[in-house]
Every structure is written in C-alpha cells, then in structure tokens.
Amino acid sequence: MSQPFRRSSGGHIDRTQPITVSFNGKTLHGYRGDTIASMLIASGSHLAGRSFKYHRPRGILSHGSDEPNALLSVDWRPEKGEGRRDPNNRASVVEARSGLKTATQNHWPSLETDIGAVNDLLSPVFVAGFYYKTFMWPRKFWDKVYEPFIRKAAGLGDAPEVPDADRYANRHAHADILVVGAGPAGLSAALAASEDGSKRVILADEGFKLGGALLNDVTSEIDGKPAAVWVEEMVAQLDARENVIVLPRTTVFGYYNHNHIAMVERVADHRDNAPDGLARERLWQVRASKVIIAAGSHERPLVFENNDRPGIMLAESARAFINRYAVLPGKSLVVATCGASAYRTALDAKAAGMDVKIVDIRLGEDCGPELAEARSAGIDVLTGHTVVKALGTKRVTGVVVAPLGNDGSVGTRRTLTCDCVAMSGGWTPSVHLFSQSRGKLAFDASLDAFLPGQSAQEEVSAGACHGIYDLSEIIADGYKAGGSDTSVSATATFTGFQPVRVLPTDADPKKVKAFIDFQNDVTAKDIKLAVREGFESIEHVKRYTTTGMATDQGKTSNMNALGLVAGLLDRPLPAIGTTTFRPPYTPVTFGALVGPSREDRFEPVRTTAIDPWAVANGAEFEPVGQWRRAHYFPKAGEDMHAAVARECKAVRTSVGIFDASTLGKIEVVGPDAAEFMNRIYTNAWAKLKVGGCRYGLMLGENGFVMDDGVVARLAEDRFHVTTTTGGAPRVFQHMEDYLQTEWPDLDVFITSITEQWAAIAVQGPNARKVVEPFVSDIDMSEGAFPHMAVREGFICGVPTRLFRVSFTGETGFEVNVPVDYAEAVWKTLYEEGRKYDITPYGTETMHVLRCEMGFIIVGQETDGTATPDDVGLSGLVSKKKPDFVGMRSLARPDMLLPDRKQLVGILAKDPNEVLEEGAQVVEDPSLPVPVPMIGHVTSSYFSSNCGRSIAMAMIKGGRARIDQTVWVTTPKGFTEATISTSVFHTVQGEKVDA
Amino acid sequence: MSEISVKAVHAFDGLITPVGETRPAGVVVSERTELALAAVLARKRRAGDLAALVANEFGCHLPAPARRTEGRDISVVSTGPGAWLACREAGGYGFAENLAETMQGVASVTDQSDAFAVLRLTGPRVRNVLAKGIHLDLDANVFLPGHAAVTQCGHVGVSLWRLDDLAGGDAAFEIAMFRSYAESFWHWLSVSAAVYGLAVAAGG
C-alpha cells in the first residue's frame, strides 16, 4: 500500500482524484486536497529536509505557512522545460497536483546520507556569531577561502539559474473592507461587512481552502452544525454576494501606508491543465478604506533536547494532518504540552485509532476541563512532567520524561516510546500585518503574548490574532469587526497555557541542543551565549544568533527567544520588546513583484516619430534616458567605426540628416518670461530680439553646470527653450520649482513641448539646398535668416519653427514640425537630399562632430562639479545681471582656485590610438603609487575629418598646460599624450559660432 | 499659408490592431486622431476672468480640479492647479492659435495637439483592463462621467477622463499620454486586454 498512514475516510480530500508527485525522484501518492507534507506523512515518512547549519535531519513541524523545516525546491511544470522551478516552498502549503517535481534542500549527496551532518559534531565551532569569530584570521584567507566557503554554506535553497519562463499578472483593486484570513473570524467579519450590499468587500486567504483552523476541527459545532458545514454555508453566502470578492490562494504579504495592501494570488500552479499564457501568479495592490486582520495565530514549539527530530510536530498541526488531510502522523503519539489546546489533538488522535499519551508540564490542579475529558477517553496523562529529551535520529523513537518537584527539581527519568510527538508551547497571535501597518503592540501577560495595541491606520484585528481563542468568542469578534453584534453558540474551546521558555532538564545545558529557531539552527544555548557575551537588545541578539531570520521570519520561534532573553536578563518580557516585523509575510517570487516589467519592457521605451524610418533603414540604436535613439546607420559590411567615419565625412562635405526630436523643449510664456529667463540662465536675455536664438547655460544653486541648450525667442513673451535629452524633466522641474516657490510673483508659465515638436537637423554645406525648396512664408536668404535665428512659417505646408543653428559647426537647420508630420517631412527632405548624397547619421556622429568643434555635452564633459569657467564658458556668465540661479556660489573661494579641473583637448601621441573615456591622466607614471591624478578623459573619438583621434579632458589647471606631455591610463598601462586646445576642426566657408 | 502636402502619421498607426477573441470583445479601442489639444494656463490672478471667458465663449464651466466639462465645440480637462487641456474635435493647428487670441491676457496657451496620443476605451471589461495599470478607483459609482485624473498607467504618465456611458451601457474612457510612449502603452494595453479580447473601432 502506497499510503499506509492514510485514513480510510474523512478529511477535506477528494478520494476520487488520486494524484502522484515526484519527491526526490520517488513517487508520493495522495489525493486532491493534499499538500506535499500530507502526502509524505501518508507514505509513513516525516523526513523532509536537512537543517541549515548542522545538517540535522528534519521533519514537518507545522501544517501552515510558518513551516521552518520542510522547504522544497518545486518544479511546477517540468513537462514545459526549464525556468519553472523555485526554491524554499513550504511542503506544508504546496497544493499537491500530479506532475509536480519536488526535491528537498540543503544536503549532499542525499537527504538520507548527508556529508554536511558532520557539522552537527563540529557544533562547538558553529555557535552564535561564529561568522564573526571563525573567519577572522589569517587575512589572506578572506577572499580565497572564507568567502567561497561562506557563500556556499549561506542561504536556503538554490536560486534558479535560468530566467523565469512564466508570466505574472498584476492588478489594482479598491475595497471598502479588506478581510485578511478566512477562518471563523474572517468569514464572520466578511459576512457582516457585506451584509447590506453597500460595501465592496475583499476576502483573501493564503490557503487553497477557506475555513482556517475550522478545517482541522471535527468536533466543534456552531449553532448546532458541524464546523465544516458552517464554513461551507458561510462561503456559499459570500460567494453569492456581488459586492464580495473571495480570493483563496491569496497571501496578504505587505501592509503599507494609507491602507495600501499587497497580496499575491497563486493563479496557475494548482491547475492541472493551465492554458499557455495563463499568468502563474497575480500581484494585487489593494487600497482599502478599512482592513480587518483575521490572521489567526501560530503555535509555539516546546524547547527540549532534540526537539527537532522528524516525527515531532506542533500539536495543532498533528490535528490538521489527522482531521483535514486524513493522514496519521504515526501509530504511537506523545502529546507534550504546557496548555489546553493540545488535548484536542490527543482526543482526536485517540479517536482516529492512535496510541496516545499526554505529558503536561502543568500540575493537575492548573488544568481545565480538558484533563478530565482526556482521562475519561482513556488517555494516560502525566501532569507536572517535563520532557528531558527526544530519542532517535531520522525519526523520533521515544521521549524521556521526568516529574517536576515543587522546587523545580527534575525527578526520575522514564522513557515513553512513540513514533511521533505533538508539542504545544502555547500560542502567539499573528501580529505581523498589524505591526507592518505601524500599529503599536501591547503585551498581555495573561496570554503571554503581544497583541495589537494602538492602531496607526484604519484597521482592526479579530479572532486569534486579537488574542481571542474560544470559538464562539472568535466568531463574535469577527462579526463585531464587520459591524454586526451577531453571536453564535459554539462548542467551548480548550484554552489557556502556562508559558515555558525552555523545558526544565537535569542535563548539562552546555551539551544539549534544544532548538528555539529550527530554520536557522539556533539553540537555547546560542541565545544564552549571546546574552553572556553582552548582547541585550533583541535586535542585536537576532542578528548575532540569526534567530527569527530567513523565510519563516521566526513565526514559531520568536516568543520563545524573547522569553528566554527576558529570563536571562531578568527583565519583564515587554521591556525586551520584539524585533521589527517587515514585509513580506511569506516569501514572494520576484516574478510577481516585477510583473510584466522585465527584459526589454523593464521600463517604457520612448520612440520618436522618425523611429520607424530609422528601423526600416537599418539603424543601430542606443538608449538615452528612456528614449531609443538611432546610434548610427551602418551600410552592408560596415562596423560602427566605418559607419561613423562615413557619416562624419558626409556632414562636412555635403549634408547629413539627424533626428533631434528627443531634445527637451519647453515653452516659456508670459509677460515676465524674459525676466524669468534672466534669472534661470547665466547669460542675458532681455536684449535677445524676437526671431533670435541664443545658447543658454543653466546652473544649479551650487553654481555647477546643470544643463544647456539653444533658446529661441518667438515673441516678446514667448521663448522656445531646448534642453539636453536626458535633462529635460530635470530642467522642467527646476523651472517649475523656482516659479512656484521662489518667484511666485512672476507671471510666467511653462509647458513641455518636447512631444509636440519633432526636430529634424539638416547639417552640412548643402543643408540650405535641401530645406529651402519646401519652405514657405520664410525668407531663406542669408541676410534675412542668419545663423542663430528662428523663423515661423511652413514646410511642405506644415507649420514649422525653423531654427538656423548648428551643433556640428556646419551650416545647419533644425526643422521643428508637429510630430504627426515629422516622418513625412523627414522623408521629403531625405528624397530631396539624395541629389547631394544626403546621409542619415546617429548620435555617435553627432558626438564626434561637436567634439571636433570643442562643444561640450553636459553630463559628459561636466559631472555636476564643473563651473562655467571650468568648461571654458565664463563668457556666458553675465557680469551685469543682479542675480541668477547659482550666481552666489560662483563667488565661493574654492570655485576660483587655479588648480580646478579645466576643459582642454588631449591628443594621443599615436594618432590612431583612441583614448578611453574616463581614463585617468597623470604627469609622471613612474611616481610611486598612488600616482597623483591630474584629470580624466571626458570624450574620445576617432575623427575622420581630422584624420586622427581626438579627445577632451578635464585637467587640473588645464589651460595653463597646453602642449604639456601627460600620460593617460590604458587597459594595459599608460600611453603618452599632449594637452591641446579643445577645438580640433576649422570649418571652411560659412562662419558659425554656436 | 499653403496646403499641407504630406501625410500625417498618427501615434498608433501601425500599432493598433485587434487582440484575442473579439466577437464580442471585452474592450474596444479607437485612436482620437483628429482631436486638437491645447494646454491652457491661467495667468496670475486671472483664473476668475478665464472662467468667465470660457463660460461666455464656450458655454461651459472651467472644470474644477480632477474634472472635465463639455461646452460648445470644446471640452476642457483639468490637468493641475490652474492648468487645463482644451480639446476640440478636428480643430487642427488653428485651434491653439485661435484659443490663444481668445484668451489673450488671461491665459497662456500652448499647442499640444501632437504631443499627446489619445485613445478612447470602451467595452464591458474596460475597467478590468484599466485596473491592471491604474491604481485609482475607477468604480462606476466613484469615478463618474466628467471625472478626470492625471496618473500613471503601466509606468506611463497619462491623463484620463470618463465620458458618458455608451448607449448600450458600457463605460467610456479617454486616456492621453505623451506620444513617444504610444508603442510602450500599446504593448501594455494589448497584453492586458488580450484575455478579454480587444477590438478596434474606427478612429476620429
């Protein structure tokens, strides 16, 4: 029989749908409704992983998302190829489906035989803080020995090595009420909140079946109905309401400001035949007017020697496996507890035919009605007993127990043989989401728990996460949170526990491994060591010992750790406080967070109207900010070098055409426009005539060059400003900032017109001949339309703002046309230009041509620390204006130091050598290291027009070093170069002085 | 002024195409290629005059923040404090020019006709699609006809407004984005609407 521990009836599984799952290459059998954990237990095994540090065999601790041990690598669709595997899936919540390929983690060569288990024997080495103690000396071991070792050992599971092949969806949603958790409290809250139909309600639960703890409950009745029936009726009512969205398989993982809730819905992983293209997961971002947190609680383990042996699990989890999944965790069960709730597990196990004993640390008189009920069911109960240790290695074979004396002494040991243990150290309300919402926790000593205290947002907790454990009270609390005073009668719940941090033992505590945090292999003695070494803050203890870290974030372990630290420091528990709860509540795939924004869709791409033409004409592209720009236009067989050399020659000898549409364009309008320009730019604008253009330089408040560009005056009160491509949003914000905050008196308005006007640059000796035939209403003669002028008229009948400007040194026009007509005008000019062998060119040629002329590019020559004088533009700084942005900063003493870096040319001795941009420049490379650096190369190209390489550099005191020999770093060493002026090319014929 | 002798290419030309099952389609899209647009910025202390002027000239209120109004041959969308986008069907490049003259001294007007690409989105599933990109509450009872917003959709900045429902009861939205984002926006829309089916209606 493949499922020897499967019960013959009962449970929320569908016996008509048998399934098989691959587990470490073996086949597990089960049914729809199972998890991998329940299938494993059905097979008779608990072994589900190896521990992180000591590689101890580990079993299944829990039945929920707080599982620390049973972490699986799951390939969700092995039949579809690579890219669908992810690590660290909790076996206890993976919804089983035929075809899943699962594997345990953290062992080699196999789960059963793991070489790493030697760490368990070496454990004195791996004490708290061993990273800091062990890997200190010798220094030379740091990167060659220690780092590879630590990297290999660190981290849980193996990260996928191929791109995620799945698709992930996302959506936003709004709710009047979001209910987190569909247990008894959540169902009641959602029903109450949606009752009158006026509110939009979303109910989300991380499980694949709604009902929460009631799914584990076969004895309780609510208003005379079995709990399971009550759940079904509640869900059916909610499903029928149009104002309710019910989301199973949806984990609320983040609670952010303004009731912004993030949750992830598992859409496809559980489906047998997921259609191609179906998203695997969906990220929901919900804005809720009110959040009702009904997240339940986590059971605490008991801390005793070898409490991590497979077969030892939480008591409520044992109940879940027996009742919900209809599997027996073994044949012979010891329930070890310090509280009442575990008695229900014992009773249900007994009813399921298991041999059951209870070991309770409480004295008989401290117990409630559960004691009598257990005894009357024929269960042996040892009250006032401690568990000294568990026996067995890969499976628990028994527990050693002993009576506790009145003085706390440990009496005579005896051994109880068993093959499974259900332990309960009490309950911890799940306050994660409440804490994420920034609400303040309050300690309740009677419950030994932190409960939601003062709210920071519009939310309320209900049920067990609110510290309420009795079923009828839980349901009433849910109804109340949903706005109703409905009450029900329900079977009384066994509640109450006597907190215990570490079970009393007569063993030498230094030789005992009693685990607090299973996932991080943190034992009670690690915590003690940390406190002994002086760590008192719980945040420090956490980081030093790693308790509470990793994928489970200490859901089961935190209260035991806090209580132990409090005890050691002899302080009340609330004085210790908690560590910070941070999102995500459980691990979230990167795919869900990223959604469709991946690869070439990582961010939006902006394209110009001429982009389709560039694509059709074989352009290579480069990203500039979000823009996709044509980099160069290679002809067949050309590499970039050849294409750029050809394009550069063409512009200087005939004519080139260039898409300048991405340049930022801002219209500055209003009666005070000229005054505004005066204040924003360093140079003067009042005297610029309508129809004239001027190069403008803009500084930040710190006096450093921020942006530049040509500005045209279209009317007395209207300027057409251009900015760099990448700087456009920054400049717009800068202007808007000053208008709104510094100069609200100015009657000026700015509008981005970047997207309204496409800009086609036609440059070269034949530029005029190409443009002129299509222009109307503009006098194109040299006298009427000089360099640095703008005219409004028509081209091909389309309105144009025609600029006579040049960034190449050649005669040039920038034809601005409304974007809808840009491609057509471009094509018209291109056809006309064929007479002159017109050459389309890209950004690389644009860069080379401007460098030949010594024109700077802001952000390339400048790096945010260059003044106008540094880049040779002090002539653009008005001496007459009373003020402009950055003026005061220019007067600071260190802005005037003679050894500031200044823009110069730099020519490699070998004219064919192209220096590296960013390369360091030194005077004498033979000086001892560190060799003093005098500057760096900012732009460097091979110039076909100059017949050699050219470069610009920022050099300390550079203008006084013209003709000086310097050395420039290369990948191989240094190369010799000479400082020069930064103008490399003289244009024949028409004079331009852009 | 001479006749335009070349052909316009609109933002979604070559992009806009049906996706998925379109009989019936969950979403119907069309590009508003003939909508002339102008940014209108009230001059200092002239907002009242501007409102009066708009009421007189066009017979509509200057919309309050996050609202849109319709007047004679014009609609006006609030895009920010003291800022509006004026729209006229088939207004051409003369629209902004004429508006600037009309509003001389009370508002600054800048032509934006080609700067924004505008789509009209309708159909029974239009809200499901928009929920994938827009974080605002577009519920029928929350975001009413005449409401407008400046927001983001799939990482692209957009202006959005709701029109009157269609005769069949489907909601209708118009969404404007900077034209250079059209390709990226279309990718978002086509992927997001594929599951519901995306049909293309005649533009205009």
Side-chain angles (χ1 to χ4, degrees):
Chain A
M1 186 182 165
S2 56
Q3 300 183 57
F5 286 80
R6 178 73 65 181
R7 301 177 65 189
S8 57
S9 64
H12 296 280
I13 52 169
D14 183 352
R15 287 183 176 74
T16 67
Q17 291 193 61
I19 57 173
T20 59
V21 164
S22 164
F23 178 82
N24 284 347
K26 288 178 275 196
T27 301
L28 291 179
H29 296 266
Y31 301 103
R32 263 289 177 185
D34 264 322
T35 63
I36 305 294
S38 62
M39 290 174 78
L40 190 62
I41 289 174
S43 79
S45 173
H46 282 243
L47 189 59
R50 288 274 175 169
S51 76
F52 174 53
K53 212 155 66 174
Y54 303 126
H55 292 249
R56 287 165 69 99
R58 286 284 167 79
I60 294 154
L61 182 73
S62 111
H63 65 295
S65 62
D66 49 6
E67 171 61 40
N69 293 331
L71 302 181
L72 302 179
S73 158
V74 178
D75 191 340
W76 299 92
R77 307 264 172 208
E79 73 279 11
K80 285 194 176 180
E82 286 191 305
R84 291 179 166 85
R85 178 188 73 80
D86 55 15
N88 294 332
N89 291 280
R90 296 160 304 278
S92 50
V93 293
V94 172
E95 187 172 356
R97 160 175 71 73
S98 281
L100 295 184
K101 192 176 166 194
T102 70
T104 52
Q105 302 180 160
N106 209 34
H107 48 69
W108 186 86
S110 75
L111 176 61
E112 284 72 21
T113 311
D114 177 12
I115 298 291
V118 70
N119 286 0
D120 202 16
L121 304 175
L122 295 174
S123 56
V125 176
F126 296 101
V127 294
F130 78 98
Y131 289 108
Y132 313 110
K133 294 166 179 165
T134 311
F135 301 112
M136 298 284 283
W137 301 279
R139 164 68 183 88
K140 64 182 175 187
F141 274 30
W142 282 7
D143 40 0
K144 292 288 186 313
V145 180
Y146 292 152
E147 185 181 323
F149 174 82
I150 293 172
R151 283 199 186 282
K152 196 165 182 306
L156 292 164
D158 292 323
E161 283 165 355
V162 297
D164 191 333
D166 271 306
R167 200 173 80 73
Y168 293 83
N170 68 296
R171 66 158 295 173
H172 300 274
H174 294 261
D176 296 299
I177 299 200
L178 171 71
V179 182
V180 184
L187 289 171
S188 309
L191 196 77
S194 59
E195 188 72 40
D196 69 0
S198 71
K199 296 194 183 75
R200 292 177 288 171
V201 175
I202 296 177
L203 172 63
D205 191 281
E206 63 179 344
F208 54 88
K209 194 160 174 56
L210 305 181
L214 293 181
L215 296 172
N216 315 332
D217 196 331
V218 293
T219 51
S220 296
E221 292 198 338
I222 302 165
D223 282 344
K225 289 172 239 171
V229 173
W230 182 85
V231 169
E232 270 174 35
E233 290 179 2
M234 294 290 279
V235 172
Q237 284 187 70
L238 289 166
D239 273 337
R241 289 183 179 174
E242 284 201 353
N243 57 327
V244 182
I245 298 175
V246 178
L247 294 170
R249 302 185 180 87
T250 303
T251 303
V252 174
F253 68 83
Y255 194 139
Y256 305 96
N257 281 340
H258 305 284
N259 272 1
H260 176 200
I261 306 290
M263 42 197 218
V264 66
E265 177 190 3
R266 301 188 297 285
V267 179
D269 284 346
H270 64 285
R271 291 183 54 157
D272 277 323
N273 296 303
D276 283 334
L278 181 70
R280 181 185 171 214
E281 295 178 334
R282 176 178 293 116
L283 177 73
W284 288 71
Q285 294 189 68
V286 183
R287 276 82 176 175
S289 302
K290 181 175 180 177
V291 178
I292 298 175
I293 304 172
S297 55
H298 301 283
E299 195 166 22
R300 301 177 197 169
L302 288 171
V303 182
F304 56 89
E305 182 176 359
N306 296 338
N307 61 342
D308 62 329
R309 292 310 187 196
I312 304 178
M313 57 172 51
L314 296 170
E316 176 67 10
S317 301
R319 189 166 81 116
F321 285 114
I322 294 167
N323 294 338
R324 173 175 176 182
Y325 298 105
V327 293
L328 299 181
K331 291 176 175 153
S332 174
L333 175 71
V334 170
V335 174
T337 184
C338 63
S341 64
Y343 282 70
R344 183 54 66 194
T345 298
L347 287 160
D348 289 356
K350 179 85 177 171
M354 296 177 76
D355 178 32
V356 182
K357 294 184 185 67
I358 296 175
V359 180
D360 193 336
I361 195 165
R362 298 176 302 171
L363 299 172
E365 61 260 38
D366 294 333
C367 297
E370 66 275 6
L371 180 58
E373 196 169 330
R375 283 187 169 144
S376 71
I379 298 173
D380 264 349
V381 184
L382 300 174
T383 55
H385 272 65
T386 185
V387 177
V388 174
K389 66 174 172 182
L391 304 174
T393 305
K394 288 181 192 168
R395 179 69 183 259
V396 64
T397 57
V399 288
V400 176
V401 301
L404 288 169
N406 290 338
D407 54 350
S409 62
V410 176
T412 311
R413 296 179 175 200
R414 58 187 276 210
T415 298
L416 306 177
T417 55
C418 63
D419 60 359
C420 53
V421 174
M423 60 180 169
S424 178
W427 291 90
T428 306
S430 178
V431 293
H432 296 69
L433 291 174
F434 172 78
S435 294
Q436 286 183 25
S437 80
R438 294 289 167 196
K440 290 229 180 345
L441 295 171
F443 187 72
D444 184 319
S446 68
L447 295 175
D448 188 51
F450 286 96
L451 297 182
Q454 194 186 346
S455 288
Q457 303 199 42
E458 187 61 34
E459 51 71 38
V460 62
S461 294
C465 69
H466 194 204
I468 292 170
Y469 298 131
D470 178 73
L471 183 54
S472 60
E473 289 177 32
I474 286 171
I475 291 172
D477 201 38
Y479 273 116
K480 187 178 157 207
S484 157
D485 57 4
T486 303
S487 65
V488 298
S489 65
T491 309
T493 310
F494 295 153
T495 61
F497 66 94
Q498 180 180 304
V500 55
R501 307 307 170 199
V502 180
L503 287 181
T505 178
D506 54 1
D508 177 357
K510 290 199 182 89
K511 294 187 174 160
V512 165
K513 279 205 194 77
F515 287 88
I516 299 259
D517 183 325
F518 291 71
Q519 190 161 75
N520 292 290
D521 265 354
V522 180
T523 62
K525 73 181 170 192
D526 290 325
I527 305 268
K528 289 176 185 166
L529 179 66
V531 172
R532 209 159 60 233
E533 291 184 355
F535 292 91
E536 297 190 358
S537 155
I538 191 64
E539 295 281 8
H540 290 158
V541 172
K542 170 176 174 175
R543 279 151 188 81
Y544 193 59
T545 64
T546 70
T547 192
M549 291 190 177
T551 68
D552 72 339
Q553 289 286 293
K555 289 182 180 67
T556 55
S557 65
N558 277 344
M559 277 307 292
N560 282 337
L562 293 178
L564 181 56
V565 171
L568 292 167
L569 293 173
D570 198 20
R571 288 184 204 159
L573 205 146
I576 302 297
T578 64
T579 52
T580 309
F581 296 90
R582 292 192 179 84
Y585 177 69
T586 53
V588 179
T589 57
F590 282 113
L593 296 176
V594 169
S597 303
R598 51 187 283 186
E599 282 118 37
D600 56 343
R601 298 287 167 186
F602 177 68
E603 64 173 351
V605 174
R606 303 177 75 177
T607 54
T608 72
I610 292 146
D611 181 78
W613 188 93
V615 171
N617 284 270
E620 294 289 331
F621 292 89
E622 68 164 347
V624 181
Q626 287 186 329
W627 288 99
R628 176 169 77 200
R629 299 196 73 179
H631 195 193
Y632 56 98
F633 289 82
K635 289 189 170 173
E638 277 186 341
D639 60 6
M640 175 169 150
H641 180 82
V644 171
R646 173 179 51 75
E647 291 171 15
C648 287
K649 275 280 184 204
V651 174
R652 297 245 181 265
T653 56
S654 181
V655 63
I657 186 164
F658 172 69
D659 181 6
S661 301
T662 65
L663 281 186
K665 303 170 213 74
I666 299 168
E667 206 161 86
V668 175
V669 192
D672 297 323
E675 173 61 20
F676 174 72
M677 296 294 290
N678 261 346
R679 295 187 195 178
I680 283 283
Y681 285 89
T682 62
N683 35 347
W685 299 90
K687 288 181 184 159
L688 178 64
K689 291 195 170 62
V690 171
C693 294
R694 188 167 282 175
Y695 173 78
L697 191 65
M698 180 184 298
L699 308 182
E701 273 185 351
N702 53 20
F704 296 128
V705 174
M706 178 182 170
D707 208 87
D708 68 347
V710 169
V711 177
R713 190 167 200 172
L714 298 171
E716 284 299 325
D717 64 351
R718 187 175 297 255
F719 291 84
H720 176 122
V721 170
T722 68
T723 74
T724 58
T725 294
R730 185 166 58 238
V731 169
F732 189 87
Q733 273 176 14
H734 175 75
M735 289 181 167
E736 194 66 62
D737 189 16
Y738 272 89
L739 272 179
Q740 291 187 20
T741 63
E742 301 295 325
W743 312 319
D745 53 307
L746 292 186
D747 207 2
V748 177
F749 305 88
I750 61 172
T751 304
S752 170
I753 50 169
T754 303
E755 300 265 8
Q756 172 69 15
W757 296 95
I760 302 165
V762 184
Q763 302 273 314
N766 288 318
R768 184 191 307 275
K769 293 178 200 160
V770 173
V771 176
E772 197 164 14
F774 306 100
V775 174
S776 51
D777 287 11
I778 297 173
D779 182 346
M780 292 290 285
S781 66
E782 180 67 31
F785 192 5
H787 181 60
M788 292 304 274
V790 65
R791 297 291 180 266
E792 289 184 272
F794 298 88
I795 186 162
C796 306
V798 179
T800 182
R801 290 177 177 176
L802 187 58
F803 286 67
R804 174 84 197 279
V805 291
S806 171
F807 197 44
T808 61
E810 302 298 329
T811 297
F813 293 90
E814 275 184 22
V815 183
N816 285 260
V817 289
V819 174
D820 277 3
Y821 290 98
E823 190 179 356
V825 170
W826 171 284
K827 284 177 175 170
T828 303
L829 295 174
Y830 184 74
E831 281 308 311
E832 179 70 14
R834 284 176 180 274
K835 294 174 190 165
Y836 315 100
D837 200 19
I838 193 167
T839 299
Y841 65 96
T843 50
E844 187 66 17
T845 290
M846 179 266 283
H847 281 194
V848 176
L849 294 172
R850 65 89 205 179
C851 185
E852 289 174 354
M853 302 305 298
F855 299 156
I856 66 161
I857 288 183
V858 171
Q860 182 149 349
E861 271 60 60
T862 70
D863 61 359
T865 67
T867 67
D869 184 61
D870 294 344
V871 290
L873 296 176
S874 56
L876 288 173
V877 179
S878 167
K879 310 268 185 311
K880 295 176 185 164
K881 291 200 294 189
D883 200 8
F884 56 85
V885 176
M887 182 178 173
R888 279 186 63 179
S889 296
L890 291 179
R892 287 168 50 219
D894 55 318
M895 300 296 240
L896 308 166
L897 294 177
D899 69 338
R900 288 188 64 81
K901 285 184 184 174
Q902 294 170 334
L903 183 71
V904 289
I906 188 165
L907 295 171
K909 187 177 182 187
D910 174 358
N912 289 315
E913 180 169 17
V914 179
L915 301 173
E916 292 215 317
E917 290 180 352
Q920 309 276 290
V921 182
V922 300
E923 285 178 305
D924 180 358
S926 66
L927 290 174
V929 176
V931 185
M933 190 265 280
I934 61 168
H936 63 280
V937 176
T938 58
S939 294
S940 182
Y941 311 95
F942 189 86
S943 162
S944 53
N945 291 308
C946 299
R948 60 154 300 141
S949 65
I950 58 172
M952 296 202 276
M954 293 293 286
I955 301 289
K956 285 182 181 174
R959 290 197 290 268
R961 294 180 190 260
I962 304 294
D963 295 333
Q964 186 181 324
T965 295
V966 294
W967 295 82
V968 181
T969 55
T970 70
K972 291 177 186 157
F974 289 93
T975 193
E976 194 176 340
T978 307
I979 304 288
S980 71
T981 62
S982 59
V983 180
F984 304 101
H985 178 81
T986 312
V987 175
Q988 304 299 313
E990 292 190 72
K991 182 184 177 303
V992 298
D993 51 2
Chain B
M1 182 173 168
S2 51
E3 282 292 296
I4 291 178
S5 60
V6 287
K7 197 172 161 292
V9 178
H10 303 293
F12 287 93
D13 285 359
L15 293 171
I16 196 163
T17 176
V19 182
E21 176 55 56
T22 57
R23 281 176 299 184
V27 184
V28 181
V29 61
S30 56
E31 185 180 2
R32 306 279 281 113
T33 55
E34 298 305 313
L35 204 59
L37 306 167
V40 176
L41 302 165
R43 291 268 165 100
K44 298 280 177 201
R45 293 171 296 278
R46 302 298 299 273
D49 298 332
L50 179 64
L53 186 147
V54 168
N56 282 336
E57 290 286 326
F58 305 112
C60 67
H61 291 297
L62 194 59
R67 293 292 182 271
R68 171 181 182 271
T69 54
E70 289 182 18
R72 285 189 295 271
D73 209 15
I74 199 172
S75 64
V76 187
V77 183
S78 162
T79 54
W84 295 268
L85 192 65
C87 318
R88 174 171 291 167
E89 193 62 40
Y93 295 123
F95 174 56
E97 226 168 295
N98 296 339
L99 204 60
E101 278 170 30
T102 307
M103 296 179 170
Q104 180 83 41
V106 296
S108 295
V109 177
T110 298
D111 192 358
Q112 299 272 273
S113 297
D114 290 7
F116 289 100
V118 184
L119 292 180
R120 177 175 287 181
L121 293 168
T122 65
R125 307 308 291 274
V126 62
R127 286 192 181 86
N128 301 67
V129 171
L130 292 177
K132 297 182 183 185
I134 293 177
H135 69 266
L136 298 176
D137 192 351
L138 300 181
D139 186 275
N141 300 314
V142 176
F143 194 83
L144 307 174
H147 284 202
V150 176
T151 183
Q152 286 217 324
C153 183
H155 302 284
V156 172
V158 297
S159 292
L160 170 83
W161 52 88
R162 184 176 166 201
L163 306 172
D164 289 333
D165 289 351
L166 303 187
D170 287 341
F173 295 88
E174 288 185 342
I175 188 162
M177 73 221 67
F178 273 142
R179 179 193 169 113
S180 66
Y181 288 105
E183 197 266 347
S184 282
F185 187 85
W186 182 260
H187 179 263
W188 172 84
L189 179 64
S190 55
V191 168
S192 300
V195 61
Y196 309 116
L198 178 64
V200 179

